[in-house]
Amino acid sequence: MRRPVSLFRDLLFVAGLLLFLPISLAHAASAEHRVALVVGQSAYRAVPALPNAENDGKAMAELLTNAGFEVTAAPDLAQNDMRQTFSDFAAKVAASGPDTIALVFYAGHGLQIDGENYLVPIDVDPKREADIPLQAVRLNDLLNTLGALPTRMRILMLDACRNNPFPALNQTAGHGLAIVDTRAGAPGSFISYSTSPGAEAEDGAGADSPYTTAVLSVAKQPNLPIEEAFKRVRIAVSQATDGRQIPWESSSLTTEFRFFGGDSGQPEATAPKSSSTAMRSVDDWRKDLQGKEPKVAYELVIADDSVAAYEAFTMLFAQSSYAPRMRSLLERRREMLAWNTAVAINTAASFDEFLASYGNSDLAATARKMRERVLNRSLGANAALTAPVVQPTNVALGPTCPCTTPPTPPLNKKVDIKKVDISPPPKRVEKSPPRRRPPPDEVVVERGPPGPPPGYVPPGAVMEGIGIGVGIGLGGGGFGGRGGGEGMPGGYRR
C-alpha cells in the first residue's frame, strides 16, 4: 500500500503536468516559423573567385540553424538557378503561413546600374552595361516578391558591396549599391548592407569577410534586439577595417526580433547606454556629444549612422584624427541621398540638380545618360500630342490590305459596264373613278349650297382651325408640319 505522502506527491505532479500542457500547446501554436535562404556566390566564371563568400554562406547557415531557422543553402547559383531558387523560397514562405519570419543572406558580387541594385550570378559575363539587367537579378524583384507575401517579418542581409570586377563596367557603373529605403515598401522589413551606400566592402583576409565575422559574433548574444545587434555590427566592422567600411541598414519593423532568446546558456547581453533617439537634430547631437572623448563620440555617432550625427561630430571634433574619415562619410552619404532623390523623381530637372552639385561624382555619367533618356521620352510624348490628326481612309476607296485590292483590268480587254438607271422612280398617281355621264337627252343643272351672307363667320370656325392644327402637329411632328403641332412640347427634334 502506497503512503499518503507519496500519493499526494503524485497527484501534485499530475496536476502540474495538466496545467503546463495547455500553456505549452498555446506557446507552440503562437510560436513563429523561421525560414532562411543562404546564398554564397564564390565560383565566378568570368572574374576571379571570392573564396570568403563560400565560407560566409556555410557559417551563416550554421548560425541560423542554431537560431531555429529552417535553412535552405544554395551556393554558386547561375542566372536561371538563382531565379528558380528565389521563386522556390517565396513559395516556401507563402506555405509557411502569416506568422513566418523570412530571412535571406547573400554573399557575393552586387552592382548598381541606373540607380538599381543587382545580385550577380556566377555565369554573368557582361560586355556592356546594358547586359546586367538581362543577366543579373534585380534586388527590388526579390524585395517586392517577399513583400507581397503575408509574413510577419522579412530580413535581408547583403554582404554584396564588394568592388566591381567587370572591366566593361568600370567607366559607367557607380561604386557600391544604391540606397533602398524599406519604409517605402511593405512594413515589417529589415535590410542590412555590409557597407554604406555607394561604398565598397572588403572581402577580408581571414576565413570570413569583416561583415560576416561581426554578425557571427554579435548575433549569438541572447535577448539582443536586431536593431541593437546591427549597431554593434557596425562598430565592430568599423574597428576591424580602420573606418574604411561601415555597415548600413534600413528598417520598417513593427515587432521585435532576436536571433537567440535568453535560454541559450549565455549571459544576457546588455545594450550600451546611449541617449540616441530617432530623428534627432544636429543641435540635439551637439548637446549629447559635448564634453565626450573623441573615440567615445565617434562610436556613438557610428552606431546611430545618421547625417545629423555625422554633421555634429565634424563640428565638435574638427581637429581629431576621426574628423577626415567622418567628413568623407558625411559627404558620400549626402551624395547618395541626392542620387536616390534624383532617381526617384526621374525627371530632367532632378538629374540637372544632382549634376549641379555632384558633377564629378562616379554617378555623373549615369545621371547624364538617364537625363537624356528622360528628355527623349518627353520629346516623343510631345510629338505624339502635337502630330496632325490623320483622317481615316474610306474603306471603299482605300483597301486595308493587298488582299482586298480590286484587280486591274487589262488594257486591251473590253470591259462590260452595266448602265445603272439613276433616274427617280415615277410618281404614283391615283386615278379618280370616272364620272357618270348623263344621258344625251337629260339636262342636269348642278347647284351649290346657298352661300352665307357677306361678313358672316360660323361659330365653330376658330376652334375647328385649332383642332386641325393640333392634330397635324401631334401626328406629324417629325416631319415639321405647320400649325400648332410644330410648337408643341411633345414634338420630336434633333
Side-chain angles (χ1 to χ4, degrees):
M1 183 175 181
R2 302 183 64 179
R3 296 182 179 181
V5 176
S6 177
L7 180 61
F8 181 75
R9 187 190 312 143
D10 294 342
L11 291 175
L12 285 178
F13 175 78
V14 173
L17 182 62
L18 293 176
L19 180 64
F20 176 77
L21 184 60
I23 297 176
S24 300
L25 292 177
H27 178 72
S30 62
E32 60 196 16
H33 189 194
R34 298 184 172 192
V35 294
L37 172 65
V38 176
V39 179
Q41 299 287 83
S42 179
Y44 283 94
R45 301 171 186 174
V47 294
L50 291 175
N52 279 355
E54 180 181 1
N55 300 332
D56 296 343
K58 292 179 179 179
M60 283 300 304
E62 181 180 357
L63 171 73
L64 295 175
T65 300
N66 295 334
F69 282 87
E70 183 181 342
V71 178
T72 300
D76 293 333
L77 297 176
Q79 179 186 6
N80 293 335
D81 296 333
M82 180 178 287
R83 295 183 187 277
Q84 187 61 50
T85 299
F86 287 159
S87 178
D88 293 343
F89 181 70
K92 183 177 182 179
V93 172
S96 299
D99 206 31
T100 300
I101 294 178
L103 185 148
V104 176
F105 174 84
Y106 175 90
H109 281 301
L111 295 173
Q112 175 191 170
I113 303 295
D114 292 353
E116 288 274 7
N117 295 328
Y118 292 88
L119 306 180
V120 183
I122 62 171
D123 59 342
V124 166
D125 188 13
K127 304 304 180 185
R128 60 197 65 82
E129 185 178 299
D131 291 339
I132 291 298
L134 299 175
Q135 299 180 13
V137 176
R138 250 187 12 142
L139 175 61
N140 271 339
D141 291 341
L142 175 60
L143 291 173
N144 293 337
T145 299
L146 295 179
L149 301 177
T151 57
R152 178 192 292 187
M153 190 180 303
R154 295 158 297 278
I155 302 172
L156 187 60
M157 301 163 59
L158 296 175
D159 197 355
C161 311
R162 294 166 169 89
N163 66 308
N164 177 11
F166 303 103
L169 309 180
N170 284 335
Q171 302 300 322
T172 55
H175 297 158
L177 298 180
I179 290 177
V180 175
D181 190 355
T182 58
R183 293 170 296 180
S189 298
F190 182 91
I191 182 170
S192 172
Y193 290 112
S194 58
T195 191
S196 301
E200 295 177 351
E202 299 180 7
D203 195 47
D208 299 304
S209 71
Y211 173 78
T212 300
T213 299
V215 172
L216 293 173
S217 174
V218 173
K220 293 178 181 179
Q221 302 176 30
N223 278 337
L224 190 62
I226 188 171
E227 291 92 347
E228 182 60 37
F230 278 91
K231 286 182 179 180
R232 299 187 181 191
V233 168
R234 186 158 42 246
I235 295 174
V237 173
S238 175
Q239 292 173 348
T241 61
D242 196 22
R244 296 186 302 272
Q245 180 177 335
I246 299 176
W248 174 87
E249 65 267 352
S250 177
S251 174
S252 65
L253 295 181
T254 56
T255 57
E256 288 189 351
F257 171 80
R258 295 170 171 83
F259 286 97
F260 293 93
D263 55 351
S264 61
Q266 301 182 21
E268 183 173 337
T270 303
K273 294 182 180 181
S274 171
S275 58
S276 306
T277 56
M279 303 299 294
R280 287 197 297 167
S281 66
V282 176
D283 290 338
D284 292 335
W285 271 105
R286 291 184 63 178
K287 293 177 184 178
D288 188 58
L289 299 178
Q290 191 76 42
K292 288 184 169 56
E293 291 293 329
K295 185 176 185 301
V296 175
Y298 173 81
E299 291 185 354
L300 286 174
V301 168
I302 288 296
D304 187 76
D305 190 39
S306 66
V307 171
Y310 293 148
E311 188 172 346
F313 184 93
T314 57
M315 292 178 180
L316 291 175
F317 303 97
Q319 305 303 321
S320 71
S321 59
Y322 300 99
R325 181 187 309 168
M326 194 62 68
R327 280 193 290 267
S328 177
L329 181 61
L330 174 61
E331 181 63 20
R332 185 60 171 176
R333 181 62 57 85
R334 286 173 172 167
E335 180 181 342
M336 294 307 298
L337 290 171
W339 174 240
N340 183 63
T341 301
V343 173
I345 299 175
N346 196 31
T347 62
S350 69
F351 292 117
D352 284 337
E353 185 174 353
F354 177 83
L355 290 170
S357 301
Y358 304 101
N360 296 324
S361 167
D362 57 298
L363 298 165
T366 302
R368 295 187 184 97
K369 177 186 64 177
M370 296 181 71
R371 178 185 182 277
E372 292 299 321
R373 185 183 302 168
V374 171
L375 284 176
N376 292 336
R377 183 182 61 196
S378 301
L379 292 175
N382 293 335
L385 292 175
T386 58
V389 179
V390 180
Q391 297 295 336
T393 305
N394 191 328
V395 176
L397 299 178
T400 57
C401 66
C403 59
T404 62
T405 305
T408 303
L411 295 178
N412 298 329
K413 184 176 181 180
K414 184 177 179 180
V415 179
D416 294 333
I417 303 177
K418 294 183 180 180
K419 184 176 181 181
V420 180
D421 187 4
I422 60 174
S423 61
K427 296 183 178 179
R428 182 180 179 184
V429 180
E430 294 184 0
K431 296 181 180 181
S432 59
R435 299 179 62 184
R436 187 176 65 86
R437 303 182 67 179
D441 296 335
E442 184 180 356
V443 177
V444 179
V445 178
E446 296 182 358
R447 296 177 181 268
Y456 175 78
V457 178
V462 176
M463 293 304 296
E464 183 180 0
I466 294 176
I468 295 173
V470 171
I472 296 175
L474 292 176
F479 299 95
R482 297 176 181 269
E486 186 174 358
M488 293 295 289
Y492 179 81
R493 293 177 180 269
R494 287 187 180 275

